[in-house]
Amino acid sequence: MTVQPELAGVSFAAQLAGFGDRTAIRTKNHSVSYGELGRRVDDMARSFGPARRLIALEAENTLPSLVVYLAALSSGNPLLILPTGGGTAAEALVAAYDPDIVVRASQGEAVLDVRREETRHELHPELALLLSTSGSTGSPKLVRLSAEAVQANASAIAEYLHLRPDDTAATTLPLSYCYGMSVVNSHLLVGASLALTDLSVVDPCFWELVHTENVTSFAAVPYTFDLLERVGFEHMDLPGLRYITQAGGRLDPDRVRSYAELGRRQGWDLFVMYGQTEATARMVYLPPDLAAEHPHAIGVPVPGGSFRLEPVPGLDACELVYSGPNVMLGYAEQPEDLALGRVVTELHTGDLARRGSNGLYEIVGRRSRFVKIVGLRVDLGQVERLLADLGLIAAAAGSDDAVVAAVEGSHDLALVAKSLAQDLGLPRSAVQLHAVGSIPRLENGKPDYPAVLALASRNDDRAGGTATAPEPAGRPADVRRIFAEVLEQEDVADTDTFVSLGGDSLSYVAASVRLERALGHIPQGWHLTPVCELVPATHRAQGTQPAATGEAAGQLSRPAGKTARRWHRRMLAPMDTGIVLRAVAIIFIVSTHIGFFHWEGTAHVLIAVAGYNFARFQLTGTRCARLRRQLRSVARIVVPSVAVIGLAFAVTDTYTWANVFLLNSLLGPEGWTDYSRFWFIEILVYILLGLAALMAIPAADRAQRRWPWAFALALVAVDLPLLFDLVDSRYPGQGPVLWLFGLGWAAAASRTLWQRAAVTAIALLTIPQSFDDQYRSATILVGFLILLWLPTLTVPRGLHRVTALLASASLYIYVTHWLVYPLVDPAQKGLAVVASLAAGILYWAGATKVMGLLERQLQRPRILLRRSTAAGRADSE
């Protein structure tokens, strides 16, 4: 597209097609070449019209958003980046700057709202980008960036990272964040690829993407490293990884050293970086070969940039001042400022620094009242202004962990904190409000900010953890409490996930139901989502995007449809498919054994569900953590089962010592006898113990992490000779079932349509061969396909609690019903079914309480040791 020379856009965005058929974008379902991306960008630029206009974009990590972003840069139309997800912060910016075109995300597409054909703004010829100075606060103060600054910073980053056309970066940060934007710019500049995703590093799908797309790098903020430790990153086999970048806040020097050394051992580099939005992202980087020896340093200026140290009056310190072509034009605080040219030639960073004899710069403090929390730069002055707008007298302090504010008087601080967190774009746990009689002040009358910050530590001492004012329903504190109670854990951190805390399929049901009651809705994959992200993810899942005017008019004309949908949401709600299958299966199993009705095959469906849950809950963390979690899950099956079977052995003549020790399938008589009643428990324990031993082998552990889907199918292949009678063997239980467990595992590991299709084909070829009884085989096949293709099933809300109870207690019902139903009149088969279900639920409630107490007693010495170690470390510091 041709534009006037003085309005020329960013060079790299206008020259995409020059890389031809090279892959530019890789998404979950397809790839886009540079030639195709260039055509899309040109088409979008033409849709903006010939006149130069101010465009606002709700930027997301999607191809449509990226195309709009590049089209604005290439065509010279100034682009205002709105916070991801819209909301009040985005609307505040739209209201303040009145853009000519607003591009919003709707169902994965970019929808243009053309508000006028000709701009009412005076736009400076150099203006290219408008970015928020403080994350997602909605503050009208914006950074004005020129096309030259965007191009120069992208070139500098590409130079010091030694980017190459065969590199592929995963978009671990949002496009709306200048750090995430710099990853996009620098890679497209050199013809490299972007693996476009919004997956978290705790999601197994992310690491599958890393392997399948041969990702060579990803960007991280300090919080990312907490998550990497949760998923056992140090044990992952990532042969394609070339480097990791870190910015968005100070990373603890010990962690810098640790990851730099890990990278040396595994063949990748750690680039620690420092920057600000005012410098178009990056100002300095620490060469990877110096990171381990100088972890406190921020490094050297990026190519084309330079620093000077300016003494600060009244302080024995110097402020870091940066110069370079990537420095902003200046700030904008109102639409009239968009006409301004360059008013800034160097950037006063607000950070106090020193330069070592080795030439490396080091940050020693802050001059300004800004903090960075989870990668977002927060203006504490803006926090006070937001609270003042609510009629509150407050003083705000903060650290790299949280905003802490003292608020005078008695107010509903729970509601205020929730609103403030949303305005700031922060997790709710990162905002702490404390009621005080009066604001702490110094002798000169100014707020005593250290005293305000100390309110957080004072509450920590009293509450034994991060304390905030009482929070509303649907808050991280709710999630922490639920996880603590369900998983019998005393310490639950914001970075913990259900799985990292030792959650398994037995505790999953109780946790999911309680979370749904507390949060109203739980997103898919919640068991892998950190506590501090779970509530925002829930809010996003519940939120809706504003509809276009035409759509809104159509909705107004269909009130009956809206009423029906509202009734549907009130009466019905989705429930995890595995939970529903477990509840239905146990009813069918008990009813069939009692003779209330006859329907076989659901026990084998539960074998597939067991494999599915094993893949979800037992495969994260380090190898040692995996082994502990797997053995704990086996114990939670063995202990209550052996207790019941031991009682049955003592009071009846029906069972043997082989039953008590779950060895009948190996030592008992061949064929089906009364001794075979607990085959399901026995075979499940054998499989879980075998897999725990297998996964403890480093080579097997690495293979599973690298090829999770193929590894699961390998289990299926191992068992097929027995299934098709190609090998003569006495197989415990009711025939070979490891293949069915493997199919369930493969179902959980299937991330793409073709993988699910392949697993479906394997199921269609194998399951009909599992039994001569085609009705039983059909039951297994249908149950498995539901598990594979439907992550949730719609269930009447009134049945959620009873479904959850049955699913939670399914193992206990199975093991106890053999003792319960013989005590009921044989003619009352329905009553026998109800009695068996009720007895199993009661046993589940009592047994889990007792086992929880035992586990807490066993964990207490380890917790006390960890606390004393942490206290000793704090004293030494």
Side-chain angles (χ1 to χ4, degrees):
M1 178 175 180
T2 303
V3 296
Q4 302 173 31
E6 69 272 21
L7 301 181
V10 179
S11 298
F12 78 83
Q15 298 170 357
L16 298 170
F19 292 107
D21 293 333
R22 292 196 59 82
T23 299
I25 306 299
R26 306 172 188 270
T27 66
K28 179 180 179 181
N29 299 318
H30 66 287
S31 298
V32 177
S33 69
Y34 270 92
E36 173 62 22
L37 180 61
R39 286 189 291 274
R40 294 191 187 194
V41 167
D42 285 346
D43 290 343
M44 180 61 69
R46 279 190 287 271
S47 73
F48 295 155
R52 191 165 182 250
R53 290 186 282 184
L54 178 62
I55 301 171
L57 168 66
E58 284 185 5
E60 294 188 337
N61 287 12
T62 62
L63 184 57
S65 279
L66 181 61
V67 168
V68 173
Y69 169 73
L70 295 171
L73 292 185
S74 68
S75 61
N77 286 285
L79 184 64
L80 166 57
I81 298 295
L82 302 176
T84 302
T88 56
E91 294 308 318
L93 287 173
V94 170
Y97 285 91
D98 190 22
D100 305 306
I101 300 175
V102 179
V103 186
R104 303 184 188 277
S106 177
Q107 298 180 344
E109 296 296 327
V111 180
L112 272 67
D113 176 13
V114 180
R115 308 171 79 187
R116 62 186 65 90
E117 293 300 326
E118 294 187 4
T119 186
R120 63 178 57 174
H121 302 290
E122 184 179 348
L123 304 171
H124 192 275
E126 293 183 64
L127 182 61
L129 269 178
L130 292 163
L131 303 179
S132 172
T133 63
S134 50
S136 305
T137 65
S139 167
K141 187 175 184 179
L142 301 176
V143 171
R144 296 183 293 113
L145 297 175
S146 67
E148 178 192 6
V150 176
Q151 181 79 16
N153 203 229
S155 298
I157 293 170
E159 181 178 341
Y160 72 73
L161 290 181
H162 308 291
L163 294 185
R164 332 185 272 234
D166 59 351
D167 279 325
T168 299
T171 57
T172 47
L173 300 171
L175 181 61
S176 59
Y177 178 23
C178 69
Y179 182 11
M181 187 182 296
S182 72
V183 174
V184 170
N185 297 344
S186 56
H187 280 73
L188 295 183
L189 174 78
V190 301
S193 298
L194 295 169
L196 205 57
T197 180
D198 59 0
L199 293 171
S200 168
V201 295
V202 300
D203 193 325
C205 298
F206 175 80
W207 298 108
E208 183 174 347
L209 173 77
V210 169
H211 285 295
T212 58
E213 301 299 343
N214 196 29
V215 168
T216 58
S217 69
F218 62 88
V221 295
Y223 171 60
T224 308
F225 292 90
D226 294 333
L227 303 182
L228 290 176
E229 293 186 0
R230 300 290 181 190
V231 299
F233 173 77
E234 63 179 306
H235 299 293
M236 292 184 182
D237 182 20
L238 303 170
L241 186 63
R242 201 163 70 80
Y243 66 87
I244 298 173
T245 62
Q246 182 273 317
R250 180 177 182 270
L251 186 63
D252 183 79
D254 288 340
R255 186 167 279 184
V256 171
R257 182 182 291 109
S258 173
Y259 274 87
E261 292 173 348
L262 177 64
R264 284 181 182 177
R265 295 193 300 271
Q266 297 186 350
W268 50 264
D269 291 327
L270 174 67
F271 283 87
V272 176
M273 308 184 302
Y274 163 86
Q276 292 180 2
T277 307
E278 289 85 344
T280 325
R282 304 276 67 80
M283 291 185 285
V284 65
Y285 74 100
L286 181 62
D289 58 329
L290 301 178
E293 291 74 23
H294 304 281
H296 293 82
I298 58 172
V300 297
V302 301
S306 63
F307 283 126
R308 68 179 180 87
L309 296 174
E310 181 177 285
V312 178
L315 290 177
D316 185 20
C318 293
E319 182 181 6
L320 191 65
V321 182
Y322 176 79
S323 297
N326 52 312
V327 171
M328 66 177 177
L329 298 171
Y331 291 112
E333 299 189 67
Q334 57 189 349
E336 291 73 18
D337 294 338
L338 304 184
L340 298 176
R342 180 170 295 281
V343 297
V344 174
T345 57
E346 59 180 8
L347 177 62
H348 288 254
T349 65
D351 289 319
L352 306 178
R354 63 186 173 214
R355 185 177 184 269
S357 58
N358 53 14
L360 300 179
Y361 287 88
E362 180 182 343
I363 300 295
V364 296
R366 282 193 177 93
R367 182 178 183 179
S368 59
R369 297 194 61 238
F370 288 86
V371 292
K372 271 192 175 179
I373 302 173
V374 295
L376 293 177
R377 188 165 172 235
V378 179
D379 180 354
L380 296 175
Q382 175 72 4
V383 172
E384 293 180 350
R385 289 190 291 274
L386 289 171
L387 292 172
D389 289 342
L390 297 174
L392 304 179
I393 300 174
S399 65
D400 286 342
D401 298 317
V403 170
V404 182
V407 181
E408 286 189 358
S410 177
H411 305 278
D412 186 354
L413 294 186
L415 182 60
V416 173
K418 181 178 180 180
S419 175
L420 183 60
Q422 291 174 345
D423 288 343
L424 296 174
L426 295 176
R428 173 61 186 85
S429 58
V431 175
Q432 301 184 23
L433 302 186
H434 303 273
V436 295
S438 60
I439 300 296
R441 297 190 181 275
L442 302 170
E443 291 182 359
N444 60 10
K446 294 182 178 180
D448 185 351
Y449 289 115
V452 173
L453 191 59
L455 292 173
S457 60
R458 188 185 310 167
N459 274 315
D460 287 348
D461 294 339
R462 185 165 60 246
T466 301
T468 67
E471 298 176 274
R475 64 200 195 280
D478 278 332
V479 179
R480 290 194 296 270
R481 175 176 51 79
I482 291 170
F483 283 1
E485 293 174 358
V486 171
L487 300 176
E488 305 291 345
Q489 295 280 353
E490 293 191 14
D491 297 320
V492 179
D494 281 348
T495 55
D496 283 326
T497 69
F498 174 79
V499 172
S500 73
L501 291 168
D504 57 18
S505 60
L506 297 177
S507 51
Y508 175 83
V509 183
S512 65
V513 172
R514 291 187 60 181
L515 283 174
E516 186 176 11
R517 288 203 300 267
L519 305 179
H521 172 86
I522 49 176
Q524 189 175 348
W526 66 267
H527 57 292
L528 296 171
T529 304
V531 169
C532 63
E533 293 183 5
L534 189 54
V535 174
T538 302
H539 293 164
R540 287 194 300 272
Q542 291 175 315
T544 56
Q545 296 292 342
T549 304
E551 293 173 340
Q555 290 172 355
L556 289 174
S557 66
R558 296 191 298 270
K562 291 177 65 176
T563 301
R565 288 193 296 273
R566 192 179 301 114
W567 179 89
H568 183 275
R569 289 194 299 268
R570 187 165 59 246
M571 301 302 296
L572 304 173
M575 203 167 189
D576 183 88
T577 297
I579 295 176
V580 178
L581 288 178
R582 285 165 63 182
V584 172
I586 197 61
I587 293 174
F588 278 45
I589 290 169
V590 171
S591 298
T592 297
H593 290 168
I594 293 173
F596 185 58
F597 59 76
H598 189 78
W599 196 312
E600 296 184 322
T602 52
H604 287 76
V605 173
L606 289 184
I607 291 291
V609 173
Y612 185 83
N613 286 331
F614 181 85
R616 292 203 291 175
F617 306 122
Q618 304 297 330
L619 296 178
T620 61
T622 65
R623 189 167 65 252
C624 291
R626 277 184 172 189
L627 182 61
R628 287 194 300 269
R629 188 182 304 120
Q630 290 161 3
L631 294 179
R632 178 175 179 265
S633 292
V634 172
R636 295 181 70 185
I637 296 172
V638 169
V639 171
S641 299
V642 168
V644 171
I645 300 171
L647 175 64
F649 172 76
V651 301
T652 71
D653 298 327
T654 310
Y655 306 105
T656 68
W657 280 108
N659 290 119
V660 175
F661 292 105
L662 303 180
L663 296 173
N664 181 73
S665 296
L666 298 175
L667 304 179
E670 294 190 27
W672 180 265
T673 68
D674 285 347
Y675 301 142
S676 307
R677 290 176 171 175
F678 300 103
W679 74 270
F680 180 89
I681 305 292
E682 293 173 354
I683 195 64
L684 184 59
V685 169
Y686 300 163
I687 291 174
L688 294 178
L689 286 176
L691 288 175
L694 176 64
M695 302 304 294
I697 301 172
D701 178 73
R702 289 193 298 270
Q704 188 280 321
R705 293 181 191 272
R706 185 168 186 181
W707 302 292
W709 187 70
F711 193 93
L713 292 182
L715 291 183
V716 179
V718 166
D719 215 25
L720 289 185
L722 297 175
L723 177 65
F724 290 104
D725 296 324
L726 300 178
V727 176
D728 291 330
S729 173
R730 168 184 170 166
Y731 201 98
Q734 291 197 343
V737 293
L738 177 62
W739 64 276
L740 197 51
F741 186 95
L743 274 182
W745 184 340
S750 295
R751 307 302 182 193
T752 64
L753 180 63
W754 78 264
Q755 286 179 333
R756 288 190 176 89
V759 173
T760 300
I762 295 171
L764 291 172
L765 291 173
T766 55
I767 292 178
Q769 308 300 320
S770 58
F771 287 98
D772 294 332
D773 182 351
Q774 293 304 304
Y775 291 103
R776 176 183 288 194
S777 296
T779 297
I780 300 171
L781 180 61
V782 170
F784 174 75
L785 293 179
I786 290 173
L787 183 68
L788 173 63
W789 288 99
L790 301 176
T792 60
L793 295 173
T794 301
V795 177
R797 290 186 182 274
L799 295 180
H800 273 218
R801 180 165 295 188
V802 67
T803 302
L805 275 176
L806 290 170
S808 298
S810 55
L811 171 76
Y812 300 82
I813 294 170
Y814 182 89
V815 78
T816 58
H817 83 283
W818 297 109
L819 296 179
V820 174
Y821 78 80
L823 303 177
V824 181
D825 184 349
Q828 301 294 325
K829 297 186 183 299
L831 178 61
V833 171
V834 173
S836 297
L837 297 177
I841 290 172
L842 289 174
Y843 180 49
W844 161 76
T848 51
K849 284 287 186 184
V850 172
M851 288 191 294
L853 289 173
L854 292 175
E855 288 180 358
R856 281 201 300 275
Q857 292 303 316
L858 292 174
Q859 290 175 354
R860 190 170 298 278
R862 181 158 49 90
I863 293 172
L864 293 175
L865 177 62
R866 186 165 67 244
R867 286 178 176 172
S868 63
T869 302
R873 189 184 302 116
D875 290 341
S876 66
E877 293 176 353

Tab-separated table of all heavy atoms in Angstrom, residues 851-868:
chain	number	residue	atom	x	y	z
A	851	MET	N	-8.235	-40.189	56.627
A	851	MET	CA	-7.000	-40.146	55.840
A	851	MET	C	-6.434	-38.729	55.773
A	851	MET	O	-5.220	-38.541	55.760
A	851	MET	CB	-7.245	-40.689	54.435
A	851	MET	CG	-7.442	-42.211	54.401
A	851	MET	SD	-7.407	-42.892	52.727
A	851	MET	CE	-8.881	-42.138	52.040
A	852	GLY	N	-7.324	-37.731	55.752
A	852	GLY	CA	-6.854	-36.348	55.765
A	852	GLY	C	-6.107	-36.029	57.042
A	852	GLY	O	-5.058	-35.361	57.016
A	853	LEU	N	-6.650	-36.477	58.164
A	853	LEU	CA	-5.965	-36.251	59.439
A	853	LEU	C	-4.607	-36.940	59.450
A	853	LEU	O	-3.613	-36.364	59.919
A	853	LEU	CB	-6.825	-36.774	60.594
A	853	LEU	CG	-8.096	-35.972	60.902
A	853	LEU	CD1	-8.941	-36.707	61.945
A	853	LEU	CD2	-7.738	-34.573	61.411
A	854	LEU	N	-4.540	-38.157	58.967
A	854	LEU	CA	-3.271	-38.880	58.926
A	854	LEU	C	-2.260	-38.174	58.028
A	854	LEU	O	-1.079	-38.046	58.377
A	854	LEU	CB	-3.496	-40.313	58.438
A	854	LEU	CG	-4.276	-41.236	59.377
A	854	LEU	CD1	-4.537	-42.585	58.708
A	854	LEU	CD2	-3.501	-41.437	60.680
A	855	GLU	N	-2.724	-37.713	56.852
A	855	GLU	CA	-1.816	-37.030	55.935
A	855	GLU	C	-1.293	-35.735	56.541
A	855	GLU	O	-0.115	-35.393	56.376
A	855	GLU	CB	-2.523	-36.755	54.607
A	855	GLU	CG	-2.733	-38.013	53.772
A	855	GLU	CD	-3.430	-37.708	52.464
A	855	GLU	OE1	-3.785	-36.531	52.239
A	855	GLU	OE2	-3.627	-38.634	51.663
A	856	ARG	N	-2.160	-35.017	57.257
A	856	ARG	CA	-1.709	-33.773	57.883
A	856	ARG	C	-0.653	-34.044	58.950
A	856	ARG	O	0.306	-33.289	59.085
A	856	ARG	CB	-2.893	-33.024	58.493
A	856	ARG	CG	-3.719	-32.261	57.476
A	856	ARG	CD	-4.533	-31.165	58.144
A	856	ARG	NE	-5.449	-31.694	59.134
A	856	ARG	CZ	-6.664	-32.157	58.844
A	856	ARG	NH1	-7.090	-32.170	57.606
A	856	ARG	NH2	-7.449	-32.612	59.795
A	857	GLN	N	-0.831	-35.112	59.709
A	857	GLN	CA	0.152	-35.453	60.723
A	857	GLN	C	1.485	-35.823	60.089
A	857	GLN	O	2.554	-35.482	60.602
A	857	GLN	CB	-0.361	-36.615	61.592
A	857	GLN	CG	-1.550	-36.258	62.473
A	857	GLN	CD	-1.255	-35.084	63.400
A	857	GLN	OE1	-0.198	-35.013	64.020
A	857	GLN	NE2	-2.201	-34.149	63.486
A	858	LEU	N	1.413	-36.526	58.949
A	858	LEU	CA	2.642	-36.904	58.262
A	858	LEU	C	3.319	-35.695	57.630
A	858	LEU	O	4.551	-35.648	57.524
A	858	LEU	CB	2.337	-37.951	57.180
A	858	LEU	CG	1.881	-39.327	57.691
A	858	LEU	CD1	1.465	-40.207	56.519
A	858	LEU	CD2	3.010	-40.000	58.471
A	859	GLN	N	2.531	-34.709	57.193
A	859	GLN	CA	3.096	-33.525	56.554
A	859	GLN	C	3.622	-32.497	57.547
A	859	GLN	O	4.476	-31.686	57.204
A	859	GLN	CB	2.035	-32.836	55.688
A	859	GLN	CG	1.647	-33.610	54.446
A	859	GLN	CD	0.505	-32.940	53.703
A	859	GLN	OE1	-0.063	-31.965	54.179
A	859	GLN	NE2	0.164	-33.485	52.547
A	860	ARG	N	3.124	-32.533	58.788
A	860	ARG	CA	3.453	-31.469	59.733
A	860	ARG	C	4.958	-31.301	59.957
A	860	ARG	O	5.448	-30.167	59.934
A	860	ARG	CB	2.747	-31.730	61.074
A	860	ARG	CG	2.839	-30.560	62.035
A	860	ARG	CD	1.938	-30.785	63.227
A	860	ARG	NE	0.542	-30.881	62.834
A	860	ARG	CZ	-0.238	-29.837	62.606
A	860	ARG	NH1	0.252	-28.621	62.721
A	860	ARG	NH2	-1.481	-29.991	62.254
A	861	PRO	N	5.742	-32.386	60.154
A	861	PRO	CA	7.186	-32.164	60.337
A	861	PRO	C	7.813	-31.460	59.133
A	861	PRO	O	8.674	-30.599	59.299
A	861	PRO	CB	7.728	-33.590	60.498
A	861	PRO	CG	6.555	-34.384	60.998
A	861	PRO	CD	5.374	-33.800	60.313
A	862	ARG	N	7.390	-31.803	57.904
A	862	ARG	CA	7.953	-31.184	56.706
A	862	ARG	C	7.578	-29.704	56.633
A	862	ARG	O	8.392	-28.862	56.259
A	862	ARG	CB	7.459	-31.938	55.467
A	862	ARG	CG	7.994	-31.397	54.171
A	862	ARG	CD	7.926	-32.472	53.080
A	862	ARG	NE	6.621	-33.096	53.023
A	862	ARG	CZ	5.623	-32.640	52.260
A	862	ARG	NH1	5.799	-31.556	51.537
A	862	ARG	NH2	4.466	-33.261	52.222
A	863	ILE	N	6.324	-29.363	57.002
A	863	ILE	CA	5.887	-27.966	56.982
A	863	ILE	C	6.658	-27.147	58.009
A	863	ILE	O	7.115	-26.035	57.729
A	863	ILE	CB	4.376	-27.881	57.246
A	863	ILE	CG1	3.607	-28.501	56.069
A	863	ILE	CG2	3.936	-26.448	57.473
A	863	ILE	CD1	2.125	-28.639	56.329
A	864	LEU	N	6.824	-27.712	59.220
A	864	LEU	CA	7.557	-26.993	60.263
A	864	LEU	C	9.005	-26.769	59.853
A	864	LEU	O	9.583	-25.713	60.100
A	864	LEU	CB	7.478	-27.773	61.583
A	864	LEU	CG	6.083	-27.856	62.222
A	864	LEU	CD1	6.123	-28.750	63.452
A	864	LEU	CD2	5.580	-26.463	62.591
A	865	LEU	N	9.587	-27.788	59.197
A	865	LEU	CA	10.969	-27.640	58.744
A	865	LEU	C	11.076	-26.548	57.690
A	865	LEU	O	12.000	-25.737	57.713
A	865	LEU	CB	11.461	-28.977	58.180
A	865	LEU	CG	12.887	-28.953	57.593
A	865	LEU	CD1	13.890	-28.593	58.672
A	865	LEU	CD2	13.219	-30.319	56.966
A	866	ARG	N	10.110	-26.512	56.758
A	866	ARG	CA	10.137	-25.498	55.708
A	866	ARG	C	9.985	-24.105	56.307
A	866	ARG	O	10.657	-23.157	55.903
A	866	ARG	CB	9.015	-25.779	54.694
A	866	ARG	CG	9.061	-24.853	53.507
A	866	ARG	CD	8.199	-25.355	52.353
A	866	ARG	NE	6.798	-25.319	52.677
A	866	ARG	CZ	6.017	-26.374	52.774
A	866	ARG	NH1	6.512	-27.582	52.584
A	866	ARG	NH2	4.727	-26.258	53.071
A	867	ARG	N	9.080	-23.956	57.298
A	867	ARG	CA	8.883	-22.643	57.908
A	867	ARG	C	10.121	-22.199	58.672
A	867	ARG	O	10.520	-21.030	58.610
A	867	ARG	CB	7.682	-22.688	58.844
A	867	ARG	CG	6.345	-22.733	58.099
A	867	ARG	CD	5.197	-22.830	59.074
A	867	ARG	NE	3.919	-22.776	58.380
A	867	ARG	CZ	2.745	-22.983	58.960
A	867	ARG	NH1	2.694	-23.253	60.262
A	867	ARG	NH2	1.634	-22.931	58.264
A	868	SER	N	10.748	-23.129	59.405
A	868	SER	CA	11.931	-22.747	60.176
A	868	SER	C	13.084	-22.390	59.248
A	868	SER	O	13.861	-21.482	59.522
A	868	SER	CB	12.337	-23.894	61.108
A	868	SER	OG	12.710	-25.039	60.370
